[in-house]
Amino acid sequence: MRFLTSKRGGAIGYFVAQVCYGPLGMEPYRNVFSDVFRSPIFAERIAALNERAAEAEQWSITTREELAAIRAAGPEALGRLSAIEADIALSRLPVEVTEVLSTEVATLRAELEVAARDSAAAQLLADLETVGDDFDQGHLGTALRVADEAQVSDMSADQVARVVQAAQRKAEAILQPPLAEAAAMASDLPADLGGLRRAHAALNRFEQYRESMERTFGSIDPGGILMPLYDRLTELEADPVVLAELKAALATAVQGERPHEAVEILASQVSGRDGMSPDIAALVGDALDQAEIAAIVIEDRSTGSDASEPTAHDIAAFALQRVREASARMAEMDRACTSGEISDPVAALACLTNPAVWTGETGSGVSLLGVTKLGCVPEAGATQFLCTFVQEIRIDIAGAEMFGADRWGDLTQNLTSGEAVDALFIRASDGGWSVVTGDLR
């Protein structure tokens, strides 16, 4: 034992005397032990093994104490397990020790993850219990939020289903009174424009939630409570009296200030989730055309005009349609040039002149500023006229400021103003005009 420190020698001697010679009954082999302990190599190894075993035991005790603390803390302490797993992986302890500890950590992790899912489900259900049933206070949004959170969580399928079903029950409880109130209006709505507006207003009250309700629960009105109101709305949209009132209201809007905005406001009051009925859409479309024409400076400098020939407003309507077509072509070119779909070399070269390719901004278009009628010459009695007029056009290029101009229209407007344009107008069967010749220049 002279090669060992007194501390190590004492530890080994105590081990041999108390364990080997005692319970293990190795007293007859005393001489063998003496030979072993006379070699410093064997003595040092035995001492190191004992120390490593003691270290492993202490480390295991400390780790298990920390695992117990984590278990007591619950799911909130799940993150601490990762640090323990890293320590186990980096330790130099015997494999038999680390394997046991890793198994215990994995078991605890599974236990805490189950507890975390249970806690999350309980919290979402508690949120539903505390929310009110007032549709106008936005409580339906809370029910939808709870269902959405459950569906994107890592809870079990049964837990998700339980929370979503509870959220659906809450949503139905919130929606029932306002749906019933709206449906009850059906029998009281008068057959006039006011009744049409009220019907749409009652239905549009639910539109902000419709998409979310359909995505999450399948429908905002699974019981069909609103069907009487929809039926009444269909009747009103086809009623001649209602359509006549709407036409008059649109005509008034066109004649007022900011006609385009006024027409759009009125249109929003007579449209719903599926847009407008065909009859109403036609009336609104005509009114929007007239509103846009109303914003154009229209002048008639013709002399000796015939009542049967196109008016300055007729010519402006034609010019406006051509301007819209030009804007549509510009929009399509913006889309094509920025989509990466162009493969034709000639088209690709054309795209190089399109600012959208360089700026990434789209929305270029053409605006009709004014139309001046110079005169019309009859070519086939009172049914066909060759008209000459001047148009003023502004071309707006999205992102033009990057090229040193707020509007490229400031540069191009002079090129499109003051030029006489000829167009052939032919009286159509409906009393309007068809234009078969003429072009914007």
Side-chain angles (χ1 to χ4, degrees), residues 254-296:
V254 167
Q255 298 303 318
E257 295 185 5
R258 305 170 71 101
H260 196 277
E261 181 179 339
V263 170
E264 286 189 331
I265 290 174
L266 185 51
S268 70
Q269 296 171 351
V270 293
S271 62
R273 62 171 181 171
D274 299 321
M276 293 175 277
S277 69
D279 290 336
I280 291 177
L283 292 175
V284 171
D286 289 341
L288 287 172
D289 287 344
Q290 293 303 314
E292 196 162 354
I293 292 174
I296 301 170

Side-chain angles (χ1 to χ4, degrees), residues 56-128:
E57 183 178 359
Q58 184 56 51
W59 202 85
S60 298
I61 291 172
T62 302
T63 301
R64 286 191 173 95
E65 288 175 350
E66 188 167 359
L67 292 178
I70 291 174
R71 177 177 277 106
E76 306 247 338
L78 251 172
R80 288 160 56 185
L81 285 178
S82 297
I84 294 179
E85 287 174 327
D87 289 343
I88 293 173
L90 295 174
S91 71
R92 300 175 61 185
L93 299 177
V95 173
E96 59 270 18
V97 175
T98 57
E99 284 183 345
V100 172
L101 289 175
S102 294
T103 299
E104 293 180 15
V105 170
T107 300
L108 179 56
R109 178 180 291 280
E111 176 185 323
L112 293 182
E113 286 176 347
V114 170
R117 290 192 288 270
D118 290 343
S119 176
Q123 183 59 57
L124 290 176
L125 291 171
D127 289 347
L128 288 173

Side-chain angles (χ1 to χ4, degrees), residues 68 95 99-100 103 155 207 235 308 406 437 440:
V95 173
E99 284 183 345
V100 172
T103 299
M155 294 189 301
E207 286 308 306
E235 294 173 359
S308 62
D406 290 338
T437 64
L440 296 182

Side-chain angles (χ1 to χ4, degrees), residues 305-362:
S305 299
D306 188 294
S308 62
E309 69 184 44
T311 65
H313 280 78
D314 293 332
I315 295 173
F318 157 70
L320 178 61
Q321 181 59 37
R322 298 303 299 270
V323 162
R324 287 175 174 171
E325 292 172 0
S327 286
R329 289 194 296 271
M330 293 178 70
E332 173 57 23
M333 186 173 183
D334 281 353
R335 186 204 65 78
C337 289
T338 57
S339 67
E341 299 173 359
I342 298 295
S343 58
D344 179 70
V346 175
L349 286 174
C351 282
L352 292 178
T353 65
N354 190 329
V357 173
W358 307 102
T359 67
E361 295 187 40
T362 58

